[in-house]
């Protein structure tokens, strides 16, 4: 169904009369003639696209040209009169055709049978295939059409959009009569079936119109949503265009304009996507996003990449189309499915009432007369759980009056009080903020949020736009309050119920990322904006300061847990000083857990949960002791040894054997490991038969133990390439290392404890899998230099498009007399093995490692010393090490197929 537009055929596109004459030369000449015609048509249309022609002329023009071509071909065969017709159906039936779209054809026959034309049909289709047309065809009689359309809504929809190309008009008329609403799929049933179809389709895309690689046809807000409106209109009103809906009162002039603009933009993107992919491709993959951004004239700036600007426009367009789809389909639902329902009306106040579970405004001038009602309506929904949504007429009124939200409106004390009443409401506050965003109110009342709508970072870490991420975070915080989430987020669920003021966490969550897109530190900028907003809303200064502090420090807990050594008492002390008290710690913990999950659900796993829980527990302990009484490392070691010794003696292990073994281990070992781990290691070493064979122990957490991953303990001779061999072996097995703790004994042995997960984030548990890991590790550690044949696993497609230059930062930790090496580089197979090999080349001893994979990149921190146990103090050595790491890790980026590209993640 076309939007308000009249297509005029371009007769100069190709001389079809001459082509028809040329085809008379015979079958041998037809294929090259038709291929030549197709090539010229495609070249002219594509060049017109690059020259900036109206996209509607191109989409409809390609369909018109295909019509002429198919008619010319059809007429080369002899067909029985009044027994057969060639129809365009589906998208082609609407008169729309993109460069690589399928050409959907229906060969319609009478019920009497058409055995006389089987040979002609075979030759007709063979000719289409010979000239490489992407044809999707069906061969049906009138009875077939009726039977299959009754049984399948998809077939009925496909046949609903039909155009006669050539053949018997009577057959087309007869088919339409058989498919009429009085024969099958009456309007209400058709609408309900298509509605359920759309719900299922949206669910495949997580009901989000802001996916990282959206499908411009099927994702929410895509072309299918526009077509959905057209299908329902055509079925119910027999409308030939959306213009007809204006006369019926189901569409306003503004909505018509927005639909027309949205469809034109998506058509431009789809047309360009087909040309870039050279196939029918509707997924806006990373492979093509940058190409299209350049094609549409976007340029990189200091603040935003061209591709981010292009995707921001895309997301804003589909957000508008999603809103329109919601409004119009709800309007259809009220008119088609609920028209005969009894009207149950409940008065709320003089401005609003509830009609059949939906809130509606009273009088056309409500928002004009009382602009504060633009906020009040959401407060009422938060206070009345029985309200299920907003009536379509009221959604339209909200859209038509949101221009009233200006600076004077934002400064209005009554409006501020209403907004804070919403934030403090006992109902589902995040749901109402989501509705405010959907209807365009939140972005106007809070300009920083409006700026964030459609704002992206072109990487695999941030898989949602800033606005979508923010609303997702708020919904996660709300879910923590539900008993259903206690299993997934046990600590956060307990903490959030203890928070003294939920308004603080709602506002901190709302503002935490709104400083993005302005340049500079988004946490600092967001903290200033948050404080100003809270003060304007009348929040007490104490709460305003807390909200601002949370926004400023919302990344601190995650960075500390993932990049610093949590077994170091000094790390815990510094973090405890940063948070200051238990209340700040509680708020920061729940905000951090929600932020990680809302950024990218794949980032959240048992190991990250364990790290945050460990940091929370140790900090809580430090705060309880008092910041003036920091934990003494000696006390920490003695406590660990005392608990472990009790556990071992209870199992009948000789005290002398234990102490003799422990005497060979340094203090770092007891700082790095818990008492339970020391018991596990000690038992394994003492029970291991004396030999040169490495000891490998694996411990997968049970369902009742909330550990972050499978622990791998390795006790072996300290040999060159030991860690590199271990990393390469685990990588080859499809495992990822998330934490590494390395210690050594006076007897020349290493004691390495690793935390590993499968590549999909799951914990390896089965006895067969654990036995395989043990066997392969023992083999590699017996011959560590064999690992030099680095892993050659396939690099996922998405990673190939985010190859930023490696960054290495080297600094010394004076408290622990070791050197920290932070490596930020693209995630690639064999990465840790490469790094381990370089450490051996530089004669470095790896003490500890924190491994963090963030989308397409890793941010790993290694704690190393020289072989004599001292930190790196030679600046020239540090420069050579940095250069060697960068050169080695960038090699793969410089190989064919891996464009060196700054994804912009660090802006």
């Amino acid at each position: 169904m076309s939007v308000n537009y009249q297509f005029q055929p371009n007769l100069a596109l190709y001389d079809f009369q001459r082509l028809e004459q040329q085809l008379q030369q015979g079958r041998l000449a037809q294929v090259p003639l038709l291929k030549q015609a197709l090539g010229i048509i495609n070249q002219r249309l594509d060049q017109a696209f690059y020259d900036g022609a109206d996209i509607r002329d191109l989409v409809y023009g390609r369909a018109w040209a295909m019509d002429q071509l198919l008619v010319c071909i059809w007429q080369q065969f002899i067909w029985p009169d009044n027994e057969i017709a060639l129809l365009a159906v589906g998208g082609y039936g609407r008169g729309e055709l993109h460069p690589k779209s399928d050409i959907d054809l229906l060969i319609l026959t009478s019920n009497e049978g058409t055995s006389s034309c089987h040979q002609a049909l075979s030759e007709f289709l063979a000719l289409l295939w010979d000239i490489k047309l992407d044809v999707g065809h069906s061969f049906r009689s009138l009875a077939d059409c009726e039977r299959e359309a009754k049984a399948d809504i998809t077939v009925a929809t496909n046949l609903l959009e039909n155009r006669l190309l050539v053949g018997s008009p009577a057959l087309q008329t007869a088919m339409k009569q058989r498919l009429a609403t009085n024969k099958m799929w009456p309007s209400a049933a058709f609408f309900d079936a298509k509605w359920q179809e759309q719900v299922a389709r949206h669910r495949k895309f997580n009901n989000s119109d802001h996916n990282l690689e959206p499908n411009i046809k099927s994702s929410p807000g895509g072309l299918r949503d526009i077509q959905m409106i057209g299908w329902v209109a055509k079925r119910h009103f027999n409308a030939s265009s959306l213009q007809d809906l204006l006369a019926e009162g189901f569409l306003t002039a503004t909505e018509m304009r927005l639909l027309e603009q949205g469809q034109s933009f998506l058509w431009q993107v789809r047309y360009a996507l087909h040309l870039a992919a050279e196939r029918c491709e509707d997924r806006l993959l990373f492979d093509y996003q940058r190409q299209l951004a350049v094609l549409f004239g976007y340029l990189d700036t200091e603040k935003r990449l061209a591709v981010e600007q292009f995707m921001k426009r895309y997301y804003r367009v589909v957000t508008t189309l999603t809103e329109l789809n919601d409004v119009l389909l709800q309007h259809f639902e009220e008119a088609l499915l609920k028209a005969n329902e009894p009207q149950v009306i409940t008065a709320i106040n003089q401005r609003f009432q509830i009609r059949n579970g939906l809130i509606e405004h009273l009088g056309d001038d409500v928002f004009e007369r009382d602009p504060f009602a633009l906020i009040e309506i959401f407060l009422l929904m938060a206070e009345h759980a029985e309200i299920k949504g907003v009536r379509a007429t009221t959604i339209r009124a909200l859209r038509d009056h949101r221009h009233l939200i200006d600076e004077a409106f934002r400064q209005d004390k009554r409006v501020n009080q209403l907004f804070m009443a919403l934030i403090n409401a006992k109902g589902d506050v995040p749901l109402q903020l989501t509705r405010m965003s959907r209807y365009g109110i939140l972005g106007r009342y809070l300009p920083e949020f409006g700026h964030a709508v459609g704002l992206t970072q072109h990487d695999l870490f941030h898989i949602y736009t800033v606005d979508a991420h923010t609303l997702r975070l708020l919904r996660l915080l709300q879910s923590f309050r539900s008993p259903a989430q206690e299993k997934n987020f046990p600590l956060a669920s307990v903490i959030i119920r203890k928070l003294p003021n939920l308004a603080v966490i709602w506002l901190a969550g709302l503002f935490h990322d709104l400083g993005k897109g302005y340049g500079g530190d988004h946490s600092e900028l967001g903290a200033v904006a948050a404080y100003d907003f809270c003060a304007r809303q009348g929040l007490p200064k104490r709460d305003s300061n807390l909200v601002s502090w949370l926004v400023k420090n919302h990344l601190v807990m995650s960075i500390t847990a993932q990049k610093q050594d949590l077994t170091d008492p000094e790390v815990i002390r510094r973090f405890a000083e940063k948070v200051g008290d238990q209340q700040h710690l509680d708020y920061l913990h729940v905000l951090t857990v929600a932020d990680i999950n809302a950024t990218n659900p794949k980032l959240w796993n048992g190991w990250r949960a364990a790290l945050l829980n460990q940091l929370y527990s140790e900090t809580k302990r430090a705060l309880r002791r008092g910041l003036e009484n920091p934990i003494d490392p000696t006390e920490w070691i003695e406590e660990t040894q005392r608990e472990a010794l009790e556990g071992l003696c209870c199992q009948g292990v000789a005290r002398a054997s234990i102490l003799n073994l422990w005497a060979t281990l340094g203090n770092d070992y007891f700082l790095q490991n818990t008492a339970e781990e020391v018991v596990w290691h000690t038992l394994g070493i003492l029970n291991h038969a004396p030999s040169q064979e490495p000891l490998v122990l694996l411990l997968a957490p049970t369902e009742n133990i909330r550990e972050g991953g499978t622990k791998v303990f390795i006790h072996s001779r300290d040999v060159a390439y030991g860690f590199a061999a271990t990393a390469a072996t685990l990588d080859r097995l499809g495992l990822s290392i998330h934490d590494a703790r390395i210690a050594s004994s006076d007897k020349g042995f290493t004691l390495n404890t690793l935390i590993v997960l499968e590549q999909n984030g799951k914990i390896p548990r089965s006895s067969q899998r654990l036995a395989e890991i043990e066997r392969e590790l023992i083999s590699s550690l017996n011959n560590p230099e064999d690992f030099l044949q680095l892993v050659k696993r396939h690099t996922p497609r998405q990673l190939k498009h985010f190859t930023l230059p490696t960054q290495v930062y080297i600094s010394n930790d004076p408290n622990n007399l070791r050197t920290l090496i932070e490596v930020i580089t693209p995630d690639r197979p064999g990465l840790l093995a490469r790094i381990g090999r370089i450490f051996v080349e530089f004669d470095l001893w790896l003490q500890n490692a924190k491994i963090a994979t963030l989308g397409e990149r890793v941010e790993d921190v290694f704690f190393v010393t020289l072989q004599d146990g001292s930190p790196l103090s030679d600046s020239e050595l540090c420069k050579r090490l940095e250069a060697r790491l960068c050169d080695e890790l960038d090699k793969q980026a410089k190989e064919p197929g891996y464009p060196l590209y700054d994804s912009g993640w660090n802006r």
Side-chain angles (χ1 to χ4, degrees), residues 112-183:
E112 285 73 25
T114 54
S115 57
S116 60
C117 63
H118 282 172
Q119 181 64 32
L121 274 175
S122 297
E123 292 180 7
F124 170 71
L125 293 172
L127 185 52
L128 299 186
W129 294 328
D130 286 343
I131 63 175
K132 308 300 182 185
L133 281 184
D134 293 321
V135 174
H137 75 282
S138 57
F139 179 80
R140 293 189 178 109
S141 67
L142 290 171
D144 293 335
C145 291
E146 184 176 5
R147 181 180 63 256
E148 294 180 33
K150 278 184 179 179
D152 190 335
I153 187 64
T154 304
V155 175
T157 308
N158 184 262
L159 296 179
L160 182 67
E161 299 176 308
N162 66 82
R163 290 184 301 114
L164 179 67
L165 298 179
V166 63
S168 170
L171 280 177
Q172 183 194 27
T173 301
M175 183 186 74
K176 288 183 176 181
Q177 291 172 347
R178 292 186 180 226
L179 300 179
T181 54
N182 63 340
K183 299 289 182 64

Side-chain angles (χ1 to χ4, degrees), residues 50 98 105 126 135 172 176 198 223 253 414 444 453 455 459 516 524 655 658 675 831 838 858:
Y50 291 124
H98 286 264
L105 298 175
V135 174
Q172 183 194 27
K176 288 183 176 181
Q198 175 172 292
L223 288 166
R414 182 171 186 178
R444 288 181 178 267
V453 173
L455 188 63
D459 57 33
K516 289 187 173 180
E524 296 276 358
R655 182 185 181 90
I658 298 169
L831 178 67
I838 292 172
V858 297

Side-chain angles (χ1 to χ4, degrees), residues 410-430:
R410 298 183 197 102
Q411 298 291 342
D412 188 305
K413 294 298 181 184
R414 182 171 186 178
V415 172
N416 299 157
Q417 290 170 0
L418 286 169
F419 184 79
M420 285 311 302
L422 167 61
I423 294 296
N424 284 294
K426 294 181 179 180
D428 192 339
V429 175

Side-chain angles (χ1 to χ4, degrees), residues 626-839:
L627 295 177
E628 69 280 2
N629 298 308
I631 299 172
D632 184 352
T634 302
E635 181 184 338
W636 189 314
I637 293 168
E638 290 175 353
E639 184 177 334
T640 299
Q641 289 180 337
R642 184 174 57 254
E643 292 180 13
L645 189 60
E646 289 176 2
L648 288 164
C649 290
C650 287
Q651 297 187 50
V653 183
R655 182 185 181 90
S657 299
I658 298 169
L659 295 179
N660 286 338
L661 172 61
W662 287 2
T664 67
L665 307 179
N667 287 340
D668 284 349
Y669 171 79
F670 293 100
L671 287 171
Q672 291 175 352
N673 295 282
T674 65
E676 291 81 5
E677 289 170 330
V678 172
V679 170
W680 179 45
H681 299 166
T682 302
L683 284 172
I685 295 171
L686 293 178
N687 291 329
H688 188 54
S691 69
Q692 299 299 314
E693 187 87 348
L695 168 67
V696 176
L697 302 176
L698 291 102
L699 180 64
T702 65
E703 293 296 335
N704 296 324
I705 301 177
R706 298 189 183 279
E707 294 284 358
T710 293
K711 293 179 180 177
V712 180
F713 174 66
I714 300 172
H715 181 253
S716 66
R717 289 285 179 186
D718 190 359
V719 295
Y721 301 117
F723 175 75
T726 300
T729 301
L730 294 173
D731 202 355
R732 190 176 67 249
L733 289 169
L735 296 164
S736 57
I737 300 174
H738 289 260
D739 189 71
R741 286 169 274 160
I742 288 71
S744 64
S745 72
D746 295 341
K747 301 294 186 181
F749 280 84
T750 60
L751 300 90
N752 301 345
T753 303
L754 312 175
I755 301 293
V756 300
L757 295 171
E758 302 285 1
Q759 291 293 337
N760 60 7
K762 294 185 177 180
I763 296 173
R765 296 181 185 275
S766 72
S767 57
Q768 287 182 328
R769 181 60 163 158
L770 297 181
E772 177 191 21
I773 297 169
E774 179 184 359
R775 183 175 61 253
E776 292 298 320
L777 282 173
I778 291 173
S779 175
S780 67
L781 290 170
N782 278 327
N783 302 282
E785 294 192 14
D786 290 350
F787 92 97
L788 292 175
Q789 191 68 27
L790 288 171
V791 178
K792 297 296 183 183
R793 271 193 302 111
H794 170 68
T795 300
R797 171 188 60 79
Q798 289 182 328
L799 291 181
K800 296 180 181 180
H801 298 279
F802 296 94
T803 310
L804 60 148
T806 297
Q807 301 170 64
V808 176
Y809 303 97
I810 301 175
S811 61
N812 282 329
D813 177 3
N815 292 320
N816 294 290
L817 299 178
R818 58 188 180 181
T819 298
L820 277 65
I821 302 175
E822 183 176 10
V823 178
I824 303 173
T825 193
D827 186 18
R828 293 290 184 265
L831 178 67
L832 286 179
R834 292 173 186 268
I835 294 173
R837 182 174 64 183
I838 292 172
F839 288 165

Side-chain angles (χ1 to χ4, degrees), residues 210-212 304 308 311-312 315-316 437 442 447-458 462-475 509-518 522 554 595 598-599 907:
H210 289 63
N211 288 306
L212 203 62
R304 293 281 99 188
E308 292 169 346
M311 292 305 295
K312 180 173 184 176
Y315 290 126
R316 287 188 173 229
S437 171
L442 185 59
E448 293 88 349
F449 188 88
H451 171 78
V453 173
L455 188 63
T456 67
Q457 283 188 233
H458 193 58
H462 304 88
I463 68 169
Y464 300 106
T465 58
V466 174
D467 58 315
H469 160 73
T470 299
L471 296 171
R472 181 177 173 82
L473 179 147
L474 292 169
R475 291 194 296 272
L510 182 60
F511 271 92
H512 81 287
D513 267 357
L514 296 190
K516 289 187 173 180
Y518 295 102
H522 80 278
H554 73 274
D595 192 19
T599 298
R907 289 190 307 284

Side-chain angles (χ1 to χ4, degrees), residues 349-355 358-368 373 377 390-398 401:
N349 58 30
Q350 60 184 0
R351 290 172 294 279
F352 297 101
Q353 66 181 17
I354 305 171
R355 181 189 295 270
L358 301 177
I359 193 169
E360 67 176 355
H361 64 300
L362 298 173
D364 294 338
D365 65 341
V366 165
F367 296 115
E368 193 76 40
I377 185 174
V390 187
R391 278 182 64 85
T393 51
T394 301
I395 295 174
R396 280 175 165 158
L398 286 169
H401 291 88

